Amino acid sequence: MTRLLVTLAAFVAVYWTILFLVQRFIVFPAPRVESAPPRPEEARVLWFESPAGRTEGWFLPPGVGSSYPAPLLIFAHGNGELINHWPGSFAIPREWGMAVLLVEYPGYGNSGGSPSARTIRQVFEAAFDWAASQPHIDSSRIVAYGRSLGGGAICALSTSRAPAALILESTFTDNSRFAWRYGAPPFLVRDRFDNLAAVTAFNGPRLILHGERDDLIPTDHGRQLAQAAGVELQLMPCAHNDCPRPWSVIHEFLVHHRILPAG
């Protein structure tokens, strides 16, 4: 029995060691940029310099006839996506007069560096600082929007910068809660995103969206984030990766909090 326990303990130790070393390949499965959609002509390429390295961003201007300085949506995508996948999804808020900034993760697409909780936060801080310094952007109306893992990037940003509002879609409370899915204790998580703490600490408006059939990040995560924010969870009729953007809900939220004008 003693020999069996020692063998089992050795097996677990080896497995946990391997998992600790390879987990970033699991958490950050960057797609190949060669197979991604090309950049649209209206997207302006930006390069953000930070301790994380040189990272790409695409700036999408507001619609024709919009007034300046314009409000801005800064967007963080899911872990298996690229900014290449997103320009078309933001046509509607651009019609409202909003600019959009799509920020890539380190090591994704054409960006240098390697993805981690720390480097992602550094890149989004650099992107936010760039946006806040631009005369054609209203620095008091920069809204941070994150989907799935992107919610972690946005929550991390909110702990060091002051966006006008947070929009979190299909986001988890704390990614260390998923460690046991892989048979590992939470303390082995190298890149922790404590979104629940960030949402609780953020003083501005918060909109929490979640798919009612999400089996990747269960809806309970959204409920806990909404409860921490003191708001009602906005459920969407979808799972995790098939959710259309609920632009009518987002527009109502932005108008209510005077980030967009009524009408």
Side-chain angles (χ1 to χ4, degrees):
M1 179 63 70
T2 301
R3 182 178 299 174
L4 177 62
L5 290 175
V6 169
T7 301
L8 180 61
F11 173 81
V12 170
V14 170
Y15 173 71
W16 284 359
T17 299
I18 294 172
L19 192 61
F20 180 81
L21 295 174
V22 306
Q23 64 181 266
R24 282 182 173 158
F25 295 99
I26 299 171
V27 176
F28 306 112
R32 291 179 60 86
V33 70
E34 294 83 4
S35 59
R39 175 177 57 87
E41 291 184 3
E42 70 270 24
R44 173 186 167 194
V45 177
L46 304 171
W47 293 99
F48 303 115
E49 300 288 348
S50 75
R54 191 168 185 256
T55 311
E56 189 176 17
W58 290 358
F59 177 79
L60 301 168
V64 175
S66 300
S67 60
Y68 290 90
L72 175 78
L73 275 176
I74 180 170
F75 180 71
H77 58 66
N79 70 336
E81 300 164 350
L82 297 170
I83 57 174
N84 304 59
H85 299 128
W86 284 98
S89 298
F90 286 90
I92 291 177
R94 291 174 65 199
E95 292 175 0
W96 302 337
M98 299 196 78
V100 176
L101 180 58
L102 306 176
V103 183
E104 196 55 277
Y105 298 143
Y108 276 59
N110 298 311
S111 298
S114 300
S116 70
R118 179 177 57 86
T119 60
I120 288 173
R121 176 181 54 79
Q122 291 170 340
V123 167
F124 275 81
E125 288 173 345
F128 185 95
D129 292 345
W130 173 87
S133 71
Q134 300 304 301
H136 57 286
I137 297 298
D138 186 343
S139 61
S140 69
R141 293 189 292 163
I142 298 177
V143 177
Y145 181 0
R147 192 192 91 78
S148 192
L149 177 72
I154 291 307
C155 285
L157 173 68
S158 74
T159 64
S160 60
R161 300 296 187 271
L166 299 183
I167 301 174
L168 303 179
E169 177 187 328
S170 305
T171 297
F172 48 84
T173 55
D174 185 328
N175 60 325
S176 66
R177 288 179 56 180
F178 299 114
W180 286 118
R181 288 186 180 181
Y182 299 92
F187 68 79
L188 284 182
V189 173
R190 299 176 67 180
D191 297 291
R192 186 182 176 195
F193 293 92
D194 189 350
N195 298 335
L196 191 63
V199 165
T200 302
F202 185 72
N203 291 322
R206 291 149 290 183
L207 176 62
I208 313 298
L209 309 158
H210 215 102
E212 60 187 3
R213 300 190 303 273
D214 195 329
D215 57 357
L216 183 61
I217 299 177
T219 309
D220 183 57
H221 285 257
R223 291 194 181 95
Q224 291 184 49
L225 290 170
Q227 183 178 14
V231 300
E232 181 180 353
L233 174 64
Q234 300 295 314
L235 288 173
M236 301 181 292
C238 56
H240 187 77
N241 290 318
D242 62 345
C243 297
R245 310 285 73 70
W247 289 126
S248 61
V249 175
I250 292 172
H251 185 266
E252 181 180 355
F253 169 76
L254 296 176
V255 169
H256 178 74
H257 292 288
R258 300 182 179 181
I259 294 166
L260 288 178

